[in-house]
Amino acid sequence: MKTQVGIIGAGPAGLILAQLLHLQGIDSVILERKSRNNIEGTVKAGILEQTTIDILREIGVGDRMDREGHFHNGNYFQFNGQRRHIDLIKYSGGKQVVVYPQHEVIIDLVNARYENGKDIIFDVEDVTLHDIDSKQPKIRYRKNGLDEELVCDFIAGCDGYHGPSRHAIPEQNRKEHVHFYQFGWLGILSDSAPAADELIYANHDQGFALLSTRTPILQRHYLQVDPFDGIANWSDDRIWSELTARTKTNDGWQVPDGPINSKGIFQMRSFVCETMQYGRLFIAGDAAHTVPPTGAKGLNLAATDVKVMACGIMEFYEQGITDILDRYSEICLRRVWGAERFSYFMTKLLHMNPHLDSFERGVQLAELDYFTSSEAGLKMIAENYVGLPIQWEKAGDLKTLLK
Ligand code: FAD
Ligand code: DHB
């Protein structure tokens, strides 16, 4: 089998890329390890920033997000029992975020793929990459017990943190930066009323808590926990008692509770792979970098990586040049490091490190006070939370191509 772009992974990165390429008349084949039901049912991200909202609209998959998503103009930061509002619109120059779950984005993108008359090859096994430094890279895989080979012009490695693509780049050509945290998140979905009109990021002596939402009757909340703790240690009563303690305000407000219908604990890490390109292989999204979820940046970075990749591939087929593709890594990594910085900052600002001394705790509270009250602090949080623009010294050229 032959295609122009072989895409490994049907997560947000792979599916957005396929749609961007399709709109430019460029053929792609998507290979996915899991089933359609699995990718359409896994609960992950909730917040899409303005750049992602714009990309989804531009590629024709924004209608349901616009109808069913909850657009937020701000959020709340809470500490010492006081809640402070961050006006994202005001401090970012008019940008917003939307609460629209990742699996709904996946459903919309998979539907668009089938409406285009194209397929996704699900349930593939043993994916390996070959000849990536040649003009005809190949992907080999197994499907229904048969060995298959896909010959491509380019391979897009969109296979998440654990996928094989990144490891196909020779070790001497890639530098991996990794940072672990002493925190994990316990995430729940509960049948309860929304906590507020916008998200609440709460810092408390007992640890961080985040009150998010899905629908008027289904809420998504998170608690900072020990990353090695077992979910069996967290009864529903214990979860609600921690959420209540960490988010109640000095004026007596308490989070509305209700039956919990799913819960799980995950670890967090910051990770960047430099380079994001080798030969005809381009990696994107979590395959190339991960962030702790506090800044709500992972899916959003995946979307902008593949936008740059699609522009480069389009330039190659239309003009026969590789100016953008040659600089793919450099263009993406500048924005990636910006989002890594913000996610690290948000994580340190809001979580309780069990080893903080009383001086460091005092500084953390002073930072929370500063960033939620000074114009400069509010602007820094707002412009990063809604998403930094893709920057390049040849921004004029890129913007023309990105139109
Ligand atoms: P993935 O979503 O991981 O997709 C990769 C795909 O590749 C998967 O479908 C996988 O099955 C497939 N694959 C892997 N290996 C192979 C293989 N060998 N062969 C074929 N296919 C393979 N981000 C935000 O922007 N906002 C948020 O609010 C936010 N909140 C989050 C909350 C939580 C609890 C979590 C866990 C994450 C959150 N994120 C958030 C991060 C976001 O979910 C990820 O960054 C995003 O899924 C990355 O997309 P991706 O396409 O790069 O990778
Ligand atoms: C959600 C996840 C996040 O990581 C975040 O920062 C905000 C919201 C969510 O799943 O709703």
Side-chain angles (χ1 to χ4, degrees), residues 142-176:
R142 283 176 76 75
K143 167 86 186 170
N144 298 329
L146 297 177
D147 290 325
E148 306 280 356
E149 183 177 88
L150 177 65
V151 180
C152 325
D153 293 340
F154 298 99
I155 298 178
C158 301
D159 44 2
Y161 181 73
H162 299 287
S165 296
R166 182 174 69 252
H167 303 285
I169 301 176
E171 245 174 77
Q172 65 272 22
N173 293 84
R174 74 184 134 94
K175 179 152 177 52
E176 301 196 346

PDB file of all heavy atoms in Angstrom, residues 142-176:
ATOM      1  N   ARG A 142       1.049  -5.242  11.723  1.00  0.00           N
ATOM      2  CA  ARG A 142       0.220  -6.441  11.567  1.00  0.00           C
ATOM      3  C   ARG A 142      -1.238  -6.077  11.757  1.00  0.00           C
ATOM      4  O   ARG A 142      -1.568  -5.282  12.632  1.00  0.00           O
ATOM      5  CB  ARG A 142       0.603  -7.501  12.622  1.00  0.00           C
ATOM      6  CG  ARG A 142       1.877  -8.246  12.290  1.00  0.00           C
ATOM      7  CD  ARG A 142       2.238  -9.203  13.417  1.00  0.00           C
ATOM      8  NE  ARG A 142       1.407 -10.406  13.429  1.00  0.00           N
ATOM      9  CZ  ARG A 142       1.554 -11.389  12.570  1.00  0.00           C
ATOM     10  NH1 ARG A 142       2.476 -11.337  11.640  1.00  0.00           N
ATOM     11  NH2 ARG A 142       0.773 -12.441  12.652  1.00  0.00           N
ATOM     12  N   LYS A 143      -2.075  -6.642  10.916  1.00  0.00           N
ATOM     13  CA  LYS A 143      -3.525  -6.417  11.065  1.00  0.00           C
ATOM     14  C   LYS A 143      -4.214  -7.740  10.761  1.00  0.00           C
ATOM     15  O   LYS A 143      -3.928  -8.360   9.720  1.00  0.00           O
ATOM     16  CB  LYS A 143      -3.952  -5.302  10.081  1.00  0.00           C
ATOM     17  CG  LYS A 143      -5.438  -5.146   9.885  1.00  0.00           C
ATOM     18  CD  LYS A 143      -6.104  -4.258  10.913  1.00  0.00           C
ATOM     19  CE  LYS A 143      -7.606  -4.280  10.721  1.00  0.00           C
ATOM     20  NZ  LYS A 143      -8.375  -3.654  11.753  1.00  0.00           N
ATOM     21  N   ASN A 144      -5.084  -8.179  11.632  1.00  0.00           N
ATOM     22  CA  ASN A 144      -5.768  -9.475  11.486  1.00  0.00           C
ATOM     23  C   ASN A 144      -4.769 -10.604  11.242  1.00  0.00           C
ATOM     24  O   ASN A 144      -4.995 -11.478  10.396  1.00  0.00           O
ATOM     25  CB  ASN A 144      -6.779  -9.445  10.335  1.00  0.00           C
ATOM     26  CG  ASN A 144      -7.879  -8.423  10.578  1.00  0.00           C
ATOM     27  OD1 ASN A 144      -8.239  -8.169  11.732  1.00  0.00           O
ATOM     28  ND2 ASN A 144      -8.394  -7.825   9.522  1.00  0.00           N
ATOM     29  N   GLY A 145      -3.626 -10.530  11.915  1.00  0.00           N
ATOM     30  CA  GLY A 145      -2.629 -11.602  11.809  1.00  0.00           C
ATOM     31  C   GLY A 145      -1.776 -11.546  10.549  1.00  0.00           C
ATOM     32  O   GLY A 145      -0.902 -12.394  10.353  1.00  0.00           O
ATOM     33  N   LEU A 146      -2.006 -10.545   9.670  1.00  0.00           N
ATOM     34  CA  LEU A 146      -1.217 -10.465   8.421  1.00  0.00           C
ATOM     35  C   LEU A 146      -0.197  -9.331   8.515  1.00  0.00           C
ATOM     36  O   LEU A 146      -0.501  -8.260   9.064  1.00  0.00           O
ATOM     37  CB  LEU A 146      -2.135 -10.194   7.218  1.00  0.00           C
ATOM     38  CG  LEU A 146      -3.169 -11.256   6.886  1.00  0.00           C
ATOM     39  CD1 LEU A 146      -4.043 -10.797   5.725  1.00  0.00           C
ATOM     40  CD2 LEU A 146      -2.469 -12.579   6.529  1.00  0.00           C
ATOM     41  N   ASP A 147       1.006  -9.548   7.961  1.00  0.00           N
ATOM     42  CA  ASP A 147       2.029  -8.500   7.915  1.00  0.00           C
ATOM     43  C   ASP A 147       1.718  -7.559   6.763  1.00  0.00           C
ATOM     44  O   ASP A 147       1.453  -8.013   5.640  1.00  0.00           O
ATOM     45  CB  ASP A 147       3.420  -9.121   7.689  1.00  0.00           C
ATOM     46  CG  ASP A 147       3.881  -9.878   8.924  1.00  0.00           C
ATOM     47  OD1 ASP A 147       3.562  -9.417  10.035  1.00  0.00           O
ATOM     48  OD2 ASP A 147       4.532 -10.927   8.772  1.00  0.00           O
ATOM     49  N   GLU A 148       1.757  -6.261   7.028  1.00  0.00           N
ATOM     50  CA  GLU A 148       1.451  -5.268   5.984  1.00  0.00           C
ATOM     51  C   GLU A 148       2.590  -4.251   5.923  1.00  0.00           C
ATOM     52  O   GLU A 148       3.302  -4.044   6.900  1.00  0.00           O
ATOM     53  CB  GLU A 148       0.148  -4.501   6.332  1.00  0.00           C
ATOM     54  CG  GLU A 148      -1.055  -5.368   6.601  1.00  0.00           C
ATOM     55  CD  GLU A 148      -1.726  -5.876   5.330  1.00  0.00           C
ATOM     56  OE1 GLU A 148      -1.300  -5.494   4.219  1.00  0.00           O
ATOM     57  OE2 GLU A 148      -2.674  -6.684   5.459  1.00  0.00           O
ATOM     58  N   GLU A 149       2.700  -3.573   4.758  1.00  0.00           N
ATOM     59  CA  GLU A 149       3.696  -2.499   4.620  1.00  0.00           C
ATOM     60  C   GLU A 149       3.051  -1.303   3.939  1.00  0.00           C
ATOM     61  O   GLU A 149       2.350  -1.451   2.935  1.00  0.00           O
ATOM     62  CB  GLU A 149       4.900  -2.985   3.796  1.00  0.00           C
ATOM     63  CG  GLU A 149       5.984  -1.919   3.705  1.00  0.00           C
ATOM     64  CD  GLU A 149       7.223  -2.380   2.949  1.00  0.00           C
ATOM     65  OE1 GLU A 149       7.250  -2.225   1.710  1.00  0.00           O
ATOM     66  OE2 GLU A 149       8.155  -2.882   3.599  1.00  0.00           O
ATOM     67  N   LEU A 150       3.306  -0.125   4.503  1.00  0.00           N
ATOM     68  CA  LEU A 150       2.787   1.124   3.939  1.00  0.00           C
ATOM     69  C   LEU A 150       3.991   1.954   3.496  1.00  0.00           C
ATOM     70  O   LEU A 150       4.827   2.324   4.327  1.00  0.00           O
ATOM     71  CB  LEU A 150       1.977   1.866   5.018  1.00  0.00           C
ATOM     72  CG  LEU A 150       1.395   3.224   4.661  1.00  0.00           C
ATOM     73  CD1 LEU A 150       0.332   3.103   3.570  1.00  0.00           C
ATOM     74  CD2 LEU A 150       0.775   3.877   5.909  1.00  0.00           C
ATOM     75  N   VAL A 151       4.064   2.255   2.186  1.00  0.00           N
ATOM     76  CA  VAL A 151       5.169   3.065   1.654  1.00  0.00           C
ATOM     77  C   VAL A 151       4.679   4.508   1.568  1.00  0.00           C
ATOM     78  O   VAL A 151       3.583   4.773   1.063  1.00  0.00           O
ATOM     79  CB  VAL A 151       5.582   2.557   0.252  1.00  0.00           C
ATOM     80  CG1 VAL A 151       6.735   3.389  -0.303  1.00  0.00           C
ATOM     81  CG2 VAL A 151       5.971   1.088   0.318  1.00  0.00           C
ATOM     82  N   CYS A 152       5.482   5.457   2.096  1.00  0.00           N
ATOM     83  CA  CYS A 152       5.002   6.845   2.201  1.00  0.00           C
ATOM     84  C   CYS A 152       6.048   7.818   1.654  1.00  0.00           C
ATOM     85  O   CYS A 152       7.218   7.459   1.489  1.00  0.00           O
ATOM     86  CB  CYS A 152       4.794   7.235   3.664  1.00  0.00           C
ATOM     87  SG  CYS A 152       4.204   5.947   4.752  1.00  0.00           S
ATOM     88  N   ASP A 153       5.608   9.076   1.448  1.00  0.00           N
ATOM     89  CA  ASP A 153       6.572  10.159   1.208  1.00  0.00           C
ATOM     90  C   ASP A 153       7.068  10.696   2.550  1.00  0.00           C
ATOM     91  O   ASP A 153       8.217  11.090   2.693  1.00  0.00           O
ATOM     92  CB  ASP A 153       5.920  11.321   0.440  1.00  0.00           C
ATOM     93  CG  ASP A 153       5.534  10.926  -0.981  1.00  0.00           C
ATOM     94  OD1 ASP A 153       6.092   9.939  -1.491  1.00  0.00           O
ATOM     95  OD2 ASP A 153       4.660  11.612  -1.562  1.00  0.00           O
ATOM     96  N   PHE A 154       6.138  10.758   3.522  1.00  0.00           N
ATOM     97  CA  PHE A 154       6.462  11.265   4.862  1.00  0.00           C
ATOM     98  C   PHE A 154       5.774  10.388   5.905  1.00  0.00           C
ATOM     99  O   PHE A 154       4.691   9.848   5.641  1.00  0.00           O
ATOM    100  CB  PHE A 154       5.935  12.700   5.057  1.00  0.00           C
ATOM    101  CG  PHE A 154       6.538  13.694   4.120  1.00  0.00           C
ATOM    102  CD1 PHE A 154       5.858  14.090   2.965  1.00  0.00           C
ATOM    103  CD2 PHE A 154       7.798  14.237   4.363  1.00  0.00           C
ATOM    104  CE1 PHE A 154       6.417  14.998   2.080  1.00  0.00           C
ATOM    105  CE2 PHE A 154       8.365  15.150   3.487  1.00  0.00           C
ATOM    106  CZ  PHE A 154       7.677  15.531   2.347  1.00  0.00           C
ATOM    107  N   ILE A 155       6.401  10.295   7.091  1.00  0.00           N
ATOM    108  CA  ILE A 155       5.721   9.638   8.224  1.00  0.00           C
ATOM    109  C   ILE A 155       5.479  10.691   9.302  1.00  0.00           C
ATOM    110  O   ILE A 155       6.384  11.459   9.656  1.00  0.00           O
ATOM    111  CB  ILE A 155       6.560   8.484   8.816  1.00  0.00           C
ATOM    112  CG1 ILE A 155       6.784   7.385   7.766  1.00  0.00           C
ATOM    113  CG2 ILE A 155       5.880   7.902  10.059  1.00  0.00           C
ATOM    114  CD1 ILE A 155       7.647   6.218   8.261  1.00  0.00           C
ATOM    115  N   ALA A 156       4.232  10.729   9.803  1.00  0.00           N
ATOM    116  CA  ALA A 156       3.893  11.610  10.923  1.00  0.00           C
ATOM    117  C   ALA A 156       3.745  10.733  12.168  1.00  0.00           C
ATOM    118  O   ALA A 156       2.830   9.899  12.237  1.00  0.00           O
ATOM    119  CB  ALA A 156       2.603  12.367  10.630  1.00  0.00           C
ATOM    120  N   GLY A 157       4.629  10.893  13.115  1.00  0.00           N
ATOM    121  CA  GLY A 157       4.582  10.122  14.370  1.00  0.00           C
ATOM    122  C   GLY A 157       3.684  10.849  15.351  1.00  0.00           C
ATOM    123  O   GLY A 157       4.113  11.783  16.034  1.00  0.00           O
ATOM    124  N   CYS A 158       2.420  10.427  15.427  1.00  0.00           N
ATOM    125  CA  CYS A 158       1.427  11.086  16.295  1.00  0.00           C
ATOM    126  C   CYS A 158       0.934  10.066  17.314  1.00  0.00           C
ATOM    127  O   CYS A 158      -0.260   9.987  17.614  1.00  0.00           O
ATOM    128  CB  CYS A 158       0.258  11.599  15.459  1.00  0.00           C
ATOM    129  SG  CYS A 158       0.748  12.776  14.193  1.00  0.00           S
ATOM    130  N   ASP A 159       1.853   9.233  17.825  1.00  0.00           N
ATOM    131  CA  ASP A 159       1.476   8.044  18.585  1.00  0.00           C
ATOM    132  C   ASP A 159       1.664   8.189  20.086  1.00  0.00           C
ATOM    133  O   ASP A 159       1.830   7.199  20.796  1.00  0.00           O
ATOM    134  CB  ASP A 159       2.235   6.817  18.050  1.00  0.00           C
ATOM    135  CG  ASP A 159       3.716   7.090  17.792  1.00  0.00           C
ATOM    136  OD1 ASP A 159       4.155   8.226  18.061  1.00  0.00           O
ATOM    137  OD2 ASP A 159       4.414   6.189  17.331  1.00  0.00           O
ATOM    138  N   GLY A 160       1.625   9.433  20.587  1.00  0.00           N
ATOM    139  CA  GLY A 160       1.621   9.640  22.031  1.00  0.00           C
ATOM    140  C   GLY A 160       2.966   9.314  22.677  1.00  0.00           C
ATOM    141  O   GLY A 160       3.929   8.929  22.015  1.00  0.00           O
ATOM    142  N   TYR A 161       3.008   9.472  23.996  1.00  0.00           N
ATOM    143  CA  TYR A 161       4.278   9.344  24.724  1.00  0.00           C
ATOM    144  C   TYR A 161       4.883   7.940  24.601  1.00  0.00           C
ATOM    145  O   TYR A 161       6.098   7.786  24.538  1.00  0.00           O
ATOM    146  CB  TYR A 161       4.048   9.695  26.206  1.00  0.00           C
ATOM    147  CG  TYR A 161       5.311   9.599  27.017  1.00  0.00           C
ATOM    148  CD1 TYR A 161       6.302  10.569  26.876  1.00  0.00           C
ATOM    149  CD2 TYR A 161       5.526   8.542  27.898  1.00  0.00           C
ATOM    150  CE1 TYR A 161       7.485  10.485  27.596  1.00  0.00           C
ATOM    151  CE2 TYR A 161       6.706   8.456  28.626  1.00  0.00           C
ATOM    152  CZ  TYR A 161       7.678   9.432  28.470  1.00  0.00           C
ATOM    153  OH  TYR A 161       8.844   9.344  29.184  1.00  0.00           O
ATOM    154  N   HIS A 162       4.022   6.899  24.569  1.00  0.00           N
ATOM    155  CA  HIS A 162       4.534   5.519  24.592  1.00  0.00           C
ATOM    156  C   HIS A 162       4.691   4.899  23.206  1.00  0.00           C
ATOM    157  O   HIS A 162       5.085   3.744  23.090  1.00  0.00           O
ATOM    158  CB  HIS A 162       3.606   4.634  25.450  1.00  0.00           C
ATOM    159  CG  HIS A 162       3.538   5.091  26.872  1.00  0.00           C
ATOM    160  ND1 HIS A 162       4.566   4.910  27.756  1.00  0.00           N
ATOM    161  CD2 HIS A 162       2.562   5.763  27.544  1.00  0.00           C
ATOM    162  CE1 HIS A 162       4.231   5.443  28.930  1.00  0.00           C
ATOM    163  NE2 HIS A 162       3.026   5.963  28.821  1.00  0.00           N
ATOM    164  N   GLY A 163       4.394   5.663  22.159  1.00  0.00           N
ATOM    165  CA  GLY A 163       4.441   5.100  20.801  1.00  0.00           C
ATOM    166  C   GLY A 163       5.863   4.867  20.296  1.00  0.00           C
ATOM    167  O   GLY A 163       6.829   5.340  20.901  1.00  0.00           O
ATOM    168  N   PRO A 164       5.985   4.159  19.159  1.00  0.00           N
ATOM    169  CA  PRO A 164       7.322   3.800  18.655  1.00  0.00           C
ATOM    170  C   PRO A 164       8.034   4.897  17.855  1.00  0.00           C
ATOM    171  O   PRO A 164       9.242   4.811  17.641  1.00  0.00           O
ATOM    172  CB  PRO A 164       7.020   2.599  17.736  1.00  0.00           C
ATOM    173  CG  PRO A 164       5.610   2.818  17.274  1.00  0.00           C
ATOM    174  CD  PRO A 164       4.895   3.533  18.391  1.00  0.00           C
ATOM    175  N   SER A 165       7.331   5.944  17.401  1.00  0.00           N
ATOM    176  CA  SER A 165       7.929   6.885  16.436  1.00  0.00           C
ATOM    177  C   SER A 165       9.178   7.578  16.957  1.00  0.00           C
ATOM    178  O   SER A 165      10.205   7.628  16.282  1.00  0.00           O
ATOM    179  CB  SER A 165       6.911   7.949  16.026  1.00  0.00           C
ATOM    180  OG  SER A 165       5.846   7.345  15.365  1.00  0.00           O
ATOM    181  N   ARG A 166       9.050   8.139  18.176  1.00  0.00           N
ATOM    182  CA  ARG A 166      10.187   8.900  18.709  1.00  0.00           C
ATOM    183  C   ARG A 166      11.446   8.037  18.755  1.00  0.00           C
ATOM    184  O   ARG A 166      12.550   8.488  18.459  1.00  0.00           O
ATOM    185  CB  ARG A 166       9.831   9.415  20.104  1.00  0.00           C
ATOM    186  CG  ARG A 166      10.928  10.256  20.726  1.00  0.00           C
ATOM    187  CD  ARG A 166      10.475  10.864  22.031  1.00  0.00           C
ATOM    188  NE  ARG A 166      10.294   9.908  23.106  1.00  0.00           N
ATOM    189  CZ  ARG A 166       9.144   9.512  23.609  1.00  0.00           C
ATOM    190  NH1 ARG A 166       8.003   9.976  23.119  1.00  0.00           N
ATOM    191  NH2 ARG A 166       9.091   8.646  24.596  1.00  0.00           N
ATOM    192  N   HIS A 167      11.262   6.754  19.098  1.00  0.00           N
ATOM    193  CA  HIS A 167      12.422   5.865  19.267  1.00  0.00           C
ATOM    194  C   HIS A 167      13.055   5.485  17.937  1.00  0.00           C
ATOM    195  O   HIS A 167      14.158   4.927  17.919  1.00  0.00           O
ATOM    196  CB  HIS A 167      11.998   4.625  20.059  1.00  0.00           C
ATOM    197  CG  HIS A 167      11.398   5.002  21.386  1.00  0.00           C
ATOM    198  ND1 HIS A 167      12.158   5.418  22.438  1.00  0.00           N
ATOM    199  CD2 HIS A 167      10.101   5.101  21.786  1.00  0.00           C
ATOM    200  CE1 HIS A 167      11.362   5.740  23.451  1.00  0.00           C
ATOM    201  NE2 HIS A 167      10.107   5.559  23.075  1.00  0.00           N
ATOM    202  N   ALA A 168      12.360   5.814  16.828  1.00  0.00           N
ATOM    203  CA  ALA A 168      12.958   5.540  15.503  1.00  0.00           C
ATOM    204  C   ALA A 168      14.015   6.584  15.156  1.00  0.00           C
ATOM    205  O   ALA A 168      14.826   6.379  14.253  1.00  0.00           O
ATOM    206  CB  ALA A 168      11.860   5.516  14.436  1.00  0.00           C
ATOM    207  N   ILE A 169      14.014   7.720  15.869  1.00  0.00           N
ATOM    208  CA  ILE A 169      15.068   8.727  15.657  1.00  0.00           C
ATOM    209  C   ILE A 169      16.327   8.205  16.359  1.00  0.00           C
ATOM    210  O   ILE A 169      16.263   7.873  17.554  1.00  0.00           O
ATOM    211  CB  ILE A 169      14.661  10.101  16.255  1.00  0.00           C
ATOM    212  CG1 ILE A 169      13.362  10.606  15.613  1.00  0.00           C
ATOM    213  CG2 ILE A 169      15.793  11.119  16.093  1.00  0.00           C
ATOM    214  CD1 ILE A 169      12.830  11.910  16.206  1.00  0.00           C
ATOM    215  N   PRO A 170      17.460   8.105  15.631  1.00  0.00           N
ATOM    216  CA  PRO A 170      18.657   7.540  16.279  1.00  0.00           C
ATOM    217  C   PRO A 170      18.981   8.296  17.573  1.00  0.00           C
ATOM    218  O   PRO A 170      18.849   9.520  17.629  1.00  0.00           O
ATOM    219  CB  PRO A 170      19.762   7.745  15.238  1.00  0.00           C
ATOM    220  CG  PRO A 170      19.061   7.929  13.941  1.00  0.00           C
ATOM    221  CD  PRO A 170      17.705   8.504  14.242  1.00  0.00           C
ATOM    222  N   GLU A 171      19.398   7.550  18.591  1.00  0.00           N
ATOM    223  CA  GLU A 171      19.631   8.142  19.911  1.00  0.00           C
ATOM    224  C   GLU A 171      20.594   9.323  19.872  1.00  0.00           C
ATOM    225  O   GLU A 171      20.410  10.308  20.580  1.00  0.00           O
ATOM    226  CB  GLU A 171      20.177   7.070  20.859  1.00  0.00           C
ATOM    227  CG  GLU A 171      19.211   6.779  21.978  1.00  0.00           C
ATOM    228  CD  GLU A 171      19.664   5.620  22.827  1.00  0.00           C
ATOM    229  OE1 GLU A 171      20.570   5.826  23.648  1.00  0.00           O
ATOM    230  OE2 GLU A 171      19.118   4.508  22.640  1.00  0.00           O
ATOM    231  N   GLN A 172      21.617   9.213  19.007  1.00  0.00           N
ATOM    232  CA  GLN A 172      22.608  10.310  18.968  1.00  0.00           C
ATOM    233  C   GLN A 172      22.032  11.584  18.353  1.00  0.00           C
ATOM    234  O   GLN A 172      22.618  12.649  18.474  1.00  0.00           O
ATOM    235  CB  GLN A 172      23.905   9.878  18.252  1.00  0.00           C
ATOM    236  CG  GLN A 172      23.775   9.561  16.776  1.00  0.00           C
ATOM    237  CD  GLN A 172      23.408   8.086  16.524  1.00  0.00           C
ATOM    238  OE1 GLN A 172      22.868   7.400  17.392  1.00  0.00           O
ATOM    239  NE2 GLN A 172      23.691   7.606  15.321  1.00  0.00           N
ATOM    240  N   ASN A 173      20.860  11.484  17.717  1.00  0.00           N
ATOM    241  CA  ASN A 173      20.248  12.666  17.101  1.00  0.00           C
ATOM    242  C   ASN A 173      19.155  13.289  17.953  1.00  0.00           C
ATOM    243  O   ASN A 173      18.521  14.261  17.540  1.00  0.00           O
ATOM    244  CB  ASN A 173      19.650  12.314  15.732  1.00  0.00           C
ATOM    245  CG  ASN A 173      20.723  11.970  14.746  1.00  0.00           C
ATOM    246  OD1 ASN A 173      21.173  10.833  14.701  1.00  0.00           O
ATOM    247  ND2 ASN A 173      21.184  12.935  13.991  1.00  0.00           N
ATOM    248  N   ARG A 174      18.839  12.683  19.094  1.00  0.00           N
ATOM    249  CA  ARG A 174      17.762  13.284  19.899  1.00  0.00           C
ATOM    250  C   ARG A 174      18.223  13.467  21.340  1.00  0.00           C
ATOM    251  O   ARG A 174      18.909  12.614  21.889  1.00  0.00           O
ATOM    252  CB  ARG A 174      16.470  12.467  19.817  1.00  0.00           C
ATOM    253  CG  ARG A 174      16.442  11.184  20.572  1.00  0.00           C
ATOM    254  CD  ARG A 174      15.136  10.446  20.318  1.00  0.00           C
ATOM    255  NE  ARG A 174      15.397   9.058  20.039  1.00  0.00           N
ATOM    256  CZ  ARG A 174      15.377   8.108  20.963  1.00  0.00           C
ATOM    257  NH1 ARG A 174      15.059   8.381  22.203  1.00  0.00           N
ATOM    258  NH2 ARG A 174      15.644   6.860  20.628  1.00  0.00           N
ATOM    259  N   LYS A 175      17.795  14.603  21.906  1.00  0.00           N
ATOM    260  CA  LYS A 175      18.091  14.853  23.314  1.00  0.00           C
ATOM    261  C   LYS A 175      16.750  14.918  24.033  1.00  0.00           C
ATOM    262  O   LYS A 175      15.871  15.677  23.634  1.00  0.00           O
ATOM    263  CB  LYS A 175      18.850  16.175  23.449  1.00  0.00           C
ATOM    264  CG  LYS A 175      19.186  16.529  24.880  1.00  0.00           C
ATOM    265  CD  LYS A 175      20.438  17.389  24.986  1.00  0.00           C
ATOM    266  CE  LYS A 175      20.731  17.799  26.425  1.00  0.00           C
ATOM    267  NZ  LYS A 175      20.777  16.694  27.382  1.00  0.00           N
ATOM    268  N   GLU A 176      16.601  14.095  25.069  1.00  0.00           N
ATOM    269  CA  GLU A 176      15.325  14.072  25.789  1.00  0.00           C
ATOM    270  C   GLU A 176      15.486  14.761  27.138  1.00  0.00           C
ATOM    271  O   GLU A 176      16.418  14.467  27.878  1.00  0.00           O
ATOM    272  CB  GLU A 176      14.850  12.625  25.957  1.00  0.00           C
ATOM    273  CG  GLU A 176      14.668  11.954  24.595  1.00  0.00           C
ATOM    274  CD  GLU A 176      13.858  10.681  24.634  1.00  0.00           C
ATOM    275  OE1 GLU A 176      13.632  10.141  25.739  1.00  0.00           O
ATOM    276  OE2 GLU A 176      13.445  10.225  23.552  1.00  0.00           O
TER     277      GLU A 176
END
